[in-house]
Amino acid sequence: MATFILGIESSCDDTSAAVLRDTSLLANVMASQEVHRQYGGVIPELASRAHQQNILPVVSEALRLAGVTMADMDAIAFTRGPGLLGSLLVGTSFAKGLSLSSGKPLIEVNHLQGHILSHFVQDPASPHPVPEFPFLCLLVSGGHTQIVRVDDPLHFAILGHTIDDAVGEAFDKCAKLMGLGYPGGPVVDRLAKEGDPNRFRFAKPNVPGLDYSFSGIKTSLLYFLRDQLKEDPGFLEKNKADLCASFQKDLIDILLKKLILAVKQTGIRQVAIAGGVSANSGLRNRIEEEGARRGWTTFLPALRFTTDNAAMIAITGHYKFLAGLFAPLDIAPLSRAAEYGDRPADENF
Ligand code: KG4
Ligand code: ZN
């Protein structure tokens, strides 16, 4: 018998609901919050309010598009964390209310596990190959940067992580320093396509093992721009594309250096990327090139599954449902990844 899961995501500034029939996506509805753009970053209080406005219409629309009702669902999967607490509370409370009223069980989902498992969501019209276990996943988002060994859908080991900022923050900071707006990653990506990636070089981190650091390169860009602008106030305007291309190339070099090391250390050659920054065209091209050169099998998520979405929450819910992992009605959100024991714990983030 097929399994139907409703997924709900509200960890940051996107309200999303999705319906899966086994691993096939029947609907994935998203309401993005434009309200934050004018402030150059997500304002948590405004995000919670927008989730409250969006969540009922988004869930109703997902069920309608999927051609199902709550009575057809086997479980309700929701993002428990990590994320903004106020935003998580809206999704968690909504999921609990829906569980009470429909009698369907709750499944709590770790947002980061969701990003990784997004590779297993299938479009019934065009199925795609999925990674075999174990595989390595470079998880690159606005809040996290990790190299994860995925042993099966429910068992993971974090082999390396950032000791300070996430790579998405570095993209966003670069855009902010250059006055390019928020979120910065997609704008930097677009401008980088027109620039020379070898024109400028920024400070590279020197962190042992498989860990990352992105705070130094951010500061390096800040000081570089400050010094150049003193000499030529038009420097930024004239060099925008080259600056973006060079900064992006350095970030990708940092990411790849540790990923290559992780493949060498583990001997695992199935390599996936996930998270918002996995939408970056430079990173996608580079992973494919390195993969082809080094004999890896690479997996790039479809662009619509790179940034936050409920399909990834529903697919995680699917695997947890099969394992009988349900959540009690008094469950509370966890805003920080560390509350899941993300290090040095080996399992379940
Ligand atoms: O996974 P995500 O949607 O949210 C978190 O869980 O954090 O990731 C958002 C991050 C932002 O930092 C955004 O700038 C970045 O992903 N991003 C990109 C691109 N698209 C989104 N960074 C680089 N290039 C892109 N094309
Ligand atoms: Zn995310």
Side-chain angles (χ1 to χ4, degrees), residues 9 11-12 111-112 115 139 141-144 275-276 306-309 312:
E9 154 66 27
S11 66
C12 190
H111 181 86
L112 303 177
H115 271 303
L139 175 59
S141 75
H144 299 87
T306 55
T307 42
D308 295 345
N309 65 84
M312 70 190 204

Side-chain angles (χ1 to χ4, degrees), residues 175-224:
K176 198 165 187 171
L177 288 173
M178 294 173 59
L180 301 176
Y182 178 87
V187 192
V188 174
D189 188 356
R190 187 164 44 75
L191 281 169
K193 286 182 189 151
E194 297 150 23
D196 174 2
N198 297 312
R199 174 90 186 282
F200 305 111
R201 278 286 72 84
F202 303 100
K204 291 274 176 58
N206 187 10
V207 185
L210 297 177
D211 285 340
Y212 287 113
S213 165
F214 291 98
S215 67
I217 188 168
K218 263 174 35 182
T219 315
S220 161
L221 175 68
L222 173 72
Y223 290 160
F224 178 74

Side-chain angles (χ1 to χ4, degrees), residues 27-336:
N28 188 28
V29 175
M30 182 97 71
S32 297
Q33 303 178 1
E34 288 304 315
V35 61
H36 307 288
R37 210 171 274 277
Q38 58 187 304
Y39 301 102
V42 177
I43 309 292
E45 172 62 24
L46 296 180
S48 328
R49 285 191 213 178
H51 282 306
Q52 271 175 336
Q53 284 168 356
N54 293 340
I55 199 153
L56 182 56
V58 162
V59 170
S60 307
E61 181 66 359
L63 292 170
R64 192 188 67 78
L65 285 176
V68 295
T69 67
M70 276 314 293
D72 301 310
M73 295 296 106
D74 287 294
I76 303 158
F78 69 96
T79 306
R80 184 184 185 193
L84 299 172
L85 189 59
S87 294
L88 292 167
L89 270 168
V90 177
T92 305
S93 311
F94 187 89
K96 287 181 186 181
L98 200 55
S99 171
L100 266 177
S101 61
S102 64
K104 304 295 175 178
L106 276 180
I107 297 175
E108 54 118 344
V109 172
N110 181 314
H111 181 86
L112 303 177
Q113 189 176 356
H115 271 303
I116 295 173
L117 296 182
S118 62
H119 282 277
F120 295 87
V121 177
Q122 291 287 0
D123 178 349
S126 55
H128 59 83
V130 297
E132 285 166 25
F133 299 104
F135 68 92
L136 294 181
C137 186
L138 176 67
L139 175 59
V140 278
S141 75
H144 299 87
T145 306
Q146 299 177 337
I147 298 176
V148 182
R149 190 190 71 224
V150 187
D151 295 324
D152 67 46
L154 302 178
H155 294 93
F156 301 76
I158 298 169
L159 306 181
H161 74 169
T162 178
I163 59 170
D164 41 51
D165 301 327
V167 64
E169 281 176 88
F171 270 106
D172 293 339
K173 182 75 179 182
C174 165
K176 198 165 187 171
L177 288 173
M178 294 173 59
L180 301 176
Y182 178 87
V187 192
V188 174
D189 188 356
R190 187 164 44 75
L191 281 169
K193 286 182 189 151
E194 297 150 23
D196 174 2
N198 297 312
R199 174 90 186 282
F200 305 111
R201 278 286 72 84
F202 303 100
K204 291 274 176 58
N206 187 10
V207 185
L210 297 177
D211 285 340
Y212 287 113
S213 165
F214 291 98
S215 67
I217 188 168
K218 263 174 35 182
T219 315
S220 161
L221 175 68
L222 173 72
Y223 290 160
F224 178 74
L225 287 178
R226 189 192 58 188
D227 294 347
Q228 296 297 323
L229 285 168
K230 256 188 230 157
E231 283 174 23
D232 173 9
F235 178 79
L236 197 56
E237 215 37 61
K238 282 181 234 159
N239 296 291
K240 254 183 194 167
D242 288 349
L243 283 163
C244 286
S246 300
F247 191 71
Q248 176 173 299
K249 177 179 184 292
D250 278 2
L251 293 179
I252 295 171
D253 282 348
I254 296 170
L255 289 172
L256 262 293
K257 188 176 164 195
K258 296 298 172 88
L259 187 59
I260 291 165
L261 188 59
V263 172
K264 281 197 182 130
Q265 285 184 2
T266 60
I268 298 170
R269 306 171 90 77
Q270 300 257 320
V271 180
I273 55 173
V277 180
S278 69
N280 184 267
S281 57
L283 177 62
R284 294 171 80 90
N285 291 340
R286 189 63 190 283
I287 291 274
E288 285 201 318
E289 278 166 29
E290 294 284 346
R293 201 144 53 85
R294 294 169 188 275
W296 304 350
T297 311
T298 53
F299 298 88
L300 308 178
L303 282 180
R304 65 188 177 130
F305 297 141
T306 55
T307 42
D308 295 345
N309 65 84
M312 70 190 204
I313 304 306
I315 191 79
T316 309
H318 167 79
Y319 291 113
K320 291 187 99 167
F321 178 85
L322 296 182
L325 297 172
F326 299 105
L329 265 175
D330 62 355
I331 192 161
L334 297 177
S335 62
R336 295 185 312 120

